Amino acid sequence: MAAMESLIGLVNRIQRACTVLGDHGGGDTGSSLPTLWEELPSVAVVGGQSSGKSSVLESIVGRDFLPRGSGIVTRRPLVLQLHKLEQGMQDYAEFLHLDKKRFTDFAAVRKEIQVETDRMTGKSNRISNVPIHLSIYSPNVVNLTLIDLPGLTKVAVEGQPESIVQDIENMVRSYIAKPNCIILAITPANQDVATSDAIKIAREVDPTGDRTFGVLTKLDLMDRGTNALDVLDGRSYRLKHPWVGIVNRSQADINTNMDMVAARRREGDYFSASMDYGHLASKMGSEYLAKLLSEHLESVIKARIPAIASMINKSIEELESELDHFGKPVAIDAGAQLYTILELCRAFDQIFKEHLDGGRPGGDRIYAVFDYKLPVDLRRLPFDRHLSLQNVRKVVSQADGYQPHLIAPEQGYRRLIESSLNYFRGPAQSSVDEVHFLLKEIVRRSIGATQELRRFPTLQAELAASAYEALERFREESKKTILRLVDMESSYLTVDFFRRLPQEVERGEAISSVTSEDRYSEGHFRRIGSNVSSYVGMVSETLRNSIPKAVVHCQVREAKRSLLDHFYTQLGRKEGRQLAQMLDENPELMERRQQCAKRLQLCKAARDEIDSVSWSR
């Protein structure tokens, strides 16, 4: 089985990857991406200002390395990873943001923490949720990772925003609220534990005390005659884990640069010689606290590894699926960009044709124009009114002029037919417009259905504009064609139709027997109207068949064949900068893809780390 140190090292490596790739844990609540940091067991150090929090950390490490001062000193989370070296090796420190730079002077470590804090927050008293990662290697530490959080405060001082109190509390709570966080609550013994900021916020998120370790500092500074045995013995403020007492260095010791080894020895002597705490001496002090936390963290990590591995695998699947949906990033090379645009156009054109050919809905609506709407429009033409007895008499009489017709009113027939055929222009043009509208709708739907196009709003707009322009040209050509069909019917009448009509004069009957009264009788005009109506009906059937053919030929067929021809011509004239503008993605989508790619990289790195530990078992 893998050594427990490997498990803590595993979490350390994943935490470092989290920071590099933008997963900042407690402050990352605004992102909808899966957060690995939240799943990792950690020890968060919580305490009020002047609670001795920094001194506890330095006692555990055995080095002076933390910035000190008044007000808020810790303004960014400090992820402190301790790595035990073999005896005799020199202590050193490394920062994640300073790749492979090794610090052996811990005064320089303190300065770098301050510089890196100011880099993110400025010289102000603002805070940031982006952590600083510091690894310390020493023979005098145990394998352990601690997260030092800003000290809780009750009031904002000069130069701090009014929200600073709540901002710090929110940051601390976001870290310690997660169920995988071990809470190290630092409380000074010379103050009432009931008013401890650390205990108060720890109880809010861990009411049973299962995750909380209590630390009492400044035991040597309690009033004479008092002690903290009720707390340390577990009789008051009981937690699942035992309280640990700490004796920090005094300010005088710090000012005189007391050696940390000597400070630890003096701490041990204090508990051993204490009348109050002598029976607890083996379970007091910073060395015991570090060992206790290390063992507990190891056990928590071991228990959580299967759940962490499951979460990582699920996140990888979700992130890969989302990245597939977004598509690959756009190439920088102009040739590759042109190829991308052409591929997108081909994908759109294929979907457009599928709509027309029946693979997708849309083409059936064009057929409905010809099968239903055109026949209805033709039947609704006002031929009953136009070929009424009154209008026929009027037209025929006007056509005769001063010289009445002799046998058949040919000019009257022609005028009635030509004026009747003129009515077909309306349904013919309406069919053209209806199909044009449907083709535009199919273009719109095809662009929306081309998944890759959704990334490029500029290309979408240019493609749509070019397609609509082409459809407009097809419509104009189609209108010219169908109006020619109507005009042709007017230009040359079908003579055989009239030759087959019953003649008004029987074969062999004398012309002189047809009187002028017969030529202007009601029956005579009714026959003329009926003959014209029959002819118009014949033409209507002809146009009902020829109009769809013309519309399909001029609009549908051309749209399938050359919808994007003009777009391709214009595309070939564009320069690299213009091509890049066409592939200008939605900024929100680009940012989301980058976030997903980073988080996927993190999850895969974490999976590899876990697999490496598993293989070593």
Side-chain angles (χ1 to χ4, degrees), residues 336-354:
Q337 290 174 345
L338 178 60
Y339 177 79
T340 298
I341 293 173
L342 291 175
E343 285 295 299
L344 293 172
C345 290
R346 277 191 281 269
F348 156 76
D349 196 46
Q350 179 62 34
I351 293 174
F352 177 75
K353 290 175 180 176
E354 288 174 5

Side-chain angles (χ1 to χ4, degrees), residues 21 71 83 219 336 365 381 406 480 566 613:
L21 296 172
H83 306 266
L219 289 169
R365 295 178 64 190
L381 291 176
L406 299 177
K480 292 177 182 177
H566 182 69
V613 173

Side-chain angles (χ1 to χ4, degrees), residues 324-340:
D324 286 343
H325 177 73
F326 288 147
K328 297 179 181 179
V330 179
I332 300 176
D333 176 68
Q337 290 174 345
L338 178 60
Y339 177 79
T340 298

Side-chain angles (χ1 to χ4, degrees), residues 381 421-430 482-484 486-487 543:
L381 291 176
L421 296 184
N422 197 49
Y423 282 111
F424 288 122
R425 299 171 72 92
Q429 293 184 85
S430 178
I482 57 102
L483 291 178
R484 286 195 191 101
V486 176
D487 291 343
L543 291 177

Side-chain angles (χ1 to χ4, degrees), residues 327-527:
K328 297 179 181 179
V330 179
I332 300 176
D333 176 68
Q337 290 174 345
L338 178 60
Y339 177 79
T340 298
I341 293 173
L342 291 175
E343 285 295 299
L344 293 172
C345 290
R346 277 191 281 269
F348 156 76
D349 196 46
Q350 179 62 34
I351 293 174
F352 177 75
K353 290 175 180 176
E354 288 174 5
H355 276 290
L356 293 176
D357 294 336
R360 297 170 184 258
D364 55 321
R365 295 178 64 190
I366 293 176
Y367 173 73
V369 172
F370 305 139
D371 188 57
Y372 174 74
K373 191 174 185 307
L374 176 60
V376 169
D377 288 346
L378 292 175
R379 285 195 298 270
R380 288 176 178 173
L381 291 176
F383 293 130
D384 288 346
R385 175 170 50 82
H386 185 66
L387 297 177
S388 66
L389 179 62
Q390 181 181 0
N391 196 58
V392 170
R393 177 182 285 118
K394 175 184 175 182
V395 172
V396 171
S397 298
Q398 290 177 348
D400 283 346
Y402 72 91
Q403 177 67 57
H405 63 271
L406 299 177
I407 300 176
E410 183 171 332
Q411 291 302 319
Y413 266 107
R414 290 188 179 278
R415 288 195 183 185
L416 283 169
I417 291 172
E418 290 174 1
S419 58
S420 295
L421 296 184
N422 197 49
Y423 282 111
F424 288 122
R425 299 171 72 92
Q429 293 184 85
S430 178
S431 295
V432 171
D433 291 338
E434 285 287 333
V435 171
H436 176 75
F437 171 80
L438 291 174
L439 288 172
K440 286 185 66 175
E441 176 65 15
I442 291 174
V443 166
R444 186 189 65 79
R445 293 173 64 177
S446 299
I447 288 176
T450 308
Q451 182 175 314
E452 283 285 303
L453 266 179
R454 298 175 188 174
R455 299 165 49 190
F456 309 110
T458 302
L459 179 57
Q460 280 189 51
E462 292 197 24
L463 191 63
S466 181
Y468 293 157
E469 185 180 335
L471 291 178
E472 189 64 40
R473 291 196 303 271
F474 302 154
R475 175 166 72 167
E476 291 305 312
E477 186 60 34
S478 183
K479 278 188 177 181
K480 292 177 182 177
T481 300
I482 57 102
L483 291 178
R484 286 195 191 101
L485 290 177
V486 176
D487 291 343
M488 283 190 295
E489 292 293 340
S490 302
S491 300
Y492 185 79
L493 304 183
T494 305
V495 179
D496 286 344
F497 176 87
F498 292 98
R499 287 175 177 170
R500 290 196 299 268
L501 290 176
Q503 298 297 311
E504 291 187 29
V505 182
E506 295 295 335
R507 185 180 303 273
E509 182 179 353
I511 295 178
S512 60
S513 64
V514 182
T515 66
S516 61
E517 286 79 4
D518 293 329
R519 291 197 297 272
Y520 292 98
S521 68
E522 183 175 314
H524 178 67
F525 288 116
R526 287 190 186 280
R527 282 194 299 274

